[in-house]
Amino acid sequence: MSLKRLNIFPGNHQHVWQATLFFLLVLTLIPSLAPASNQRRFRVYTNDGASKFLHKYADSLIIFRDSLYRDSVHAASMKPMETAPYFLPFTFYENVAGNALSIDKKLSDTDSTLLAFYLNHPELVINTQRRLETTGPVIKPKTIKESPTEIIEKTLPQEPDRQPIDLVVFKPNFWNFGGDYYLQFMQNYLSGNWYQGGESNYSMMGSVTLSANYNNKQKVKWDNKLEMKFGMQTSKSDSIHSVKPTEDMLRYTGKLGLQAASKWYYTFQLIAQTQWARHYASNSKTVKSDLFSPLNVNLSVGMDYSVNWLKGRLKGSFHLAPFAYNFKYVGRLALSRNNGIDSGHHSLHDFGSQTTIDLTWKFSDNISWKTRLYGYTTYKRMEAEWENTFSFQFNRYLATKIFLYPRFDDGRTRDSKLGYWMFREYFSVGFSYSI
């Protein structure tokens, strides 16, 4: 179809259309002739509606070209889809006619151009908005608005000024300290052949247990425990001694271990035990025991197993020593035979094997059981003692304790009724505090 036949623009504008079409073909087919930095939109200011359409159409082609090559600042800031009505087949948009007939709305340049085509060349309108809506969303015509280029200044991140800081290095603390204290009023029972003497009665007793344990969390562990107990009683049956001691113990237990496996340690253990005061038989001035009479020292080398069972409620250790040295000493020669030492000698040296089990089982927050089982044998004689303390804690400071203590020693003088067995038991209520 020739331009003369189409005759879109009436009057003397035919030459304008031909020149514009030629210029658009040059811009579209040879975009490299115009450098990207020098490309600008064409603006011919005239009041003629057809000329406005031509220039808007030309601008749309430039924007479309820039969107393909992306070599213009305007292409990066404009949306090509905003000029879609100029590239699609001529379509009758309802909002164009609606805006033209509305009183309070003003037609945009795009709407004015489209309305001119609807009125002057209805034969070129080949589509409608409703038909487009059946196939997909309608792209409504929008007015192209120019906006000045925004220059965004980017500031490179700067390295902050170095500020002096104080570096504090904390030295790890491998020591753990603890203690247990109580003062109890009790009912006390002793068998007649108890090796320290005494009698069943009501009495008062105090106890202090201190611990200082070292563990570097690598290979070395060193546990230290010092136990001190002392009790006094008044006895109506004793006409000579109105006040005399009942419970009397001073014991140190130390273990130095080198880790062999996750819970096993090669261990050297030292146990030293004696008492504080002098003990007498009832209604007699005969001394049954005294300070360092006896004194028991046991050195052993073996393996130690750390116990942490029942989610931490049962803790302690097993010490198994196939090699042990035992030293027993009495300062009073009269007490030698009663402690398994030959008459006229102060000390006894022997070798054997030893086992020590120390466990603490916390049944609940206020009920616990502490047990210590000690055994030493030379395969000729044997010493064994089993200490059990059941604690019922009413609150932080008040508790009830039940103490059961059977003991076996076949190196002592045999009793006619109980043989080599001895028993001790007490029940007490009083002050108790742990850290």
Side-chain angles (χ1 to χ4, degrees):
M1 180 184 295
S2 64
L3 296 176
K4 185 175 180 180
R5 244 179 108 181
L6 181 61
N7 194 21
I8 297 176
F9 302 100
N12 297 324
H13 296 285
Q14 188 70 25
H15 63 283
V16 178
W17 165 252
Q18 293 174 354
T20 303
L21 182 59
F22 175 76
F23 186 73
L24 293 178
L25 289 175
V26 173
L27 289 177
T28 305
L29 297 177
I30 313 176
S32 60
L33 294 178
S37 59
N38 298 325
Q39 292 170 359
R40 294 293 184 270
R41 297 185 180 183
F42 294 94
R43 291 298 181 197
V44 179
Y45 295 95
T46 175
N47 294 327
D48 189 88
S51 297
K52 284 185 178 182
F53 171 76
L54 285 175
H55 294 300
K56 288 181 179 290
Y57 189 76
D59 289 349
S60 299
L61 289 176
I62 294 173
I63 294 173
F64 183 73
R65 185 206 62 187
D66 291 343
S67 68
L68 295 178
Y69 292 97
R70 297 194 179 277
D71 56 356
S72 172
V73 176
H74 293 285
S77 61
M78 300 298 294
K79 296 181 179 180
M81 295 306 295
E82 294 180 353
T83 62
Y86 298 126
F87 293 95
L88 296 175
F90 288 118
T91 303
F92 179 78
Y93 294 100
E94 297 177 357
N95 64 319
V96 174
N99 292 338
L101 297 176
S102 178
I103 299 176
D104 56 346
K105 292 185 180 179
K106 184 178 180 180
L107 289 178
S108 63
D109 293 341
T110 303
D111 291 345
S112 299
T113 304
L114 291 175
L115 183 60
F117 270 94
Y118 296 161
L119 297 175
N120 298 324
H121 299 281
E123 70 278 5
L124 299 179
V125 181
I126 61 176
N127 210 345
T128 63
Q129 180 175 341
R130 291 188 179 181
R131 188 180 299 173
L132 292 179
E133 289 177 347
T134 60
T135 59
V138 178
I139 303 176
K140 297 182 179 180
K142 297 182 180 179
T143 303
I144 301 175
K145 296 182 180 180
E146 284 192 11
S147 59
T149 303
E150 295 182 2
I151 300 176
I152 301 176
E153 296 183 358
K154 294 184 178 180
T155 305
L156 296 177
Q158 298 180 355
E159 184 178 355
D161 296 335
R162 295 181 180 180
Q163 299 292 335
I165 60 173
D166 296 330
L167 182 61
V168 180
V169 179
F170 293 95
K171 185 178 180 180
N173 184 15
F174 300 124
W175 284 95
N176 182 26
F177 300 95
D180 184 32
Y181 316 89
Y182 65 84
L183 178 63
Q184 302 280 297
F185 299 91
M186 70 194 73
Q187 168 267 328
N188 190 27
Y189 168 79
L190 290 83
S191 61
N193 65 333
W194 184 251
Y195 76 108
Q196 288 181 334
E199 64 178 359
S200 301
N201 51 42
Y202 294 94
S203 59
M204 181 177 66
M205 186 188 72
S207 173
V208 176
T209 302
L210 302 175
S211 62
N213 302 325
Y214 174 88
N215 190 348
N216 64 359
K217 307 297 182 181
Q218 294 179 354
K219 292 291 184 181
V220 180
K221 183 173 69 171
W222 182 24
D223 296 339
N224 298 272
K225 182 168 66 173
L226 179 62
E227 300 170 89
M228 296 174 286
K229 292 183 179 180
F230 190 77
M232 297 291 293
Q233 73 171 10
T234 57
S235 177
K236 296 181 181 180
S237 61
D238 193 339
S239 58
I240 299 177
H241 310 286
S242 59
V243 177
K244 58 182 182 180
T246 53
E247 179 73 15
D248 193 357
M249 184 187 72
L250 176 62
R251 180 170 63 202
Y252 167 78
T253 303
K255 290 190 294 185
L256 179 62
L258 180 65
Q259 189 173 21
S262 60
K263 294 184 178 181
W264 286 95
Y265 289 81
Y266 301 109
T267 305
F268 173 80
Q269 179 175 268
L270 168 64
I271 300 177
Q273 179 174 338
T274 186
Q275 59 190 49
W276 296 90
R278 186 175 300 171
H279 295 252
Y280 296 92
S282 298
N283 295 311
S284 173
K285 293 184 178 181
T286 303
V287 178
K288 301 288 291 184
S289 61
D290 200 353
L291 179 64
F292 300 119
S293 294
L295 167 66
N296 285 284
V297 179
N298 187 279
L299 301 174
S300 61
V301 178
M303 297 290 292
D304 214 68
Y305 179 78
S306 297
V307 175
N308 191 350
W309 299 337
L310 302 178
K311 298 181 179 180
R313 291 189 174 273
L314 180 58
K315 293 183 178 181
S317 64
F318 289 85
H319 176 70
L320 307 175
F323 305 103
Y325 162 72
N326 191 77
F327 171 73
K328 184 178 288 187
Y329 172 84
V330 290
R332 293 174 174 268
L333 290 175
L335 302 177
S336 298
R337 187 172 180 81
N338 194 39
N339 287 277
I341 303 175
D342 294 337
S343 299
H345 293 79
H346 289 279
S347 61
L348 172 66
H349 306 267
D350 50 26
F351 298 88
S353 59
Q354 188 248 90
T355 299
T356 306
I357 300 175
D358 276 295
L359 296 174
T360 300
W361 190 350
K362 197 169 185 179
F363 299 106
S364 63
D365 293 338
N366 57 350
I367 301 176
S368 63
W369 170 42
K370 289 185 179 181
T371 182
R372 175 183 179 270
L373 178 61
Y374 168 84
Y376 170 77
T377 179
T378 63
Y379 306 104
K380 291 184 179 180
R381 71 177 186 89
M382 179 178 179
E383 294 180 14
E385 52 189 19
W386 188 18
E387 301 176 23
N388 298 275
T389 304
F390 296 90
S391 298
F392 302 87
Q393 197 81 27
F394 297 111
N395 53 43
R396 189 174 181 181
Y397 302 105
L398 187 62
T400 294
K401 294 184 181 294
I402 299 176
F403 182 72
L404 303 176
Y405 184 11
R407 190 175 191 275
F408 178 88
D409 187 357
D410 59 0
R412 300 177 62 85
T413 304
R414 181 182 176 88
D415 185 75
S416 57
K417 294 182 179 180
L418 299 175
Y420 298 111
W421 283 98
M422 294 169 265
F423 297 95
R424 180 163 195 169
E425 172 270 333
Y426 64 76
F427 172 83
S428 62
V429 178
F431 171 80
S432 178
Y433 183 75
S434 299
I435 59 174

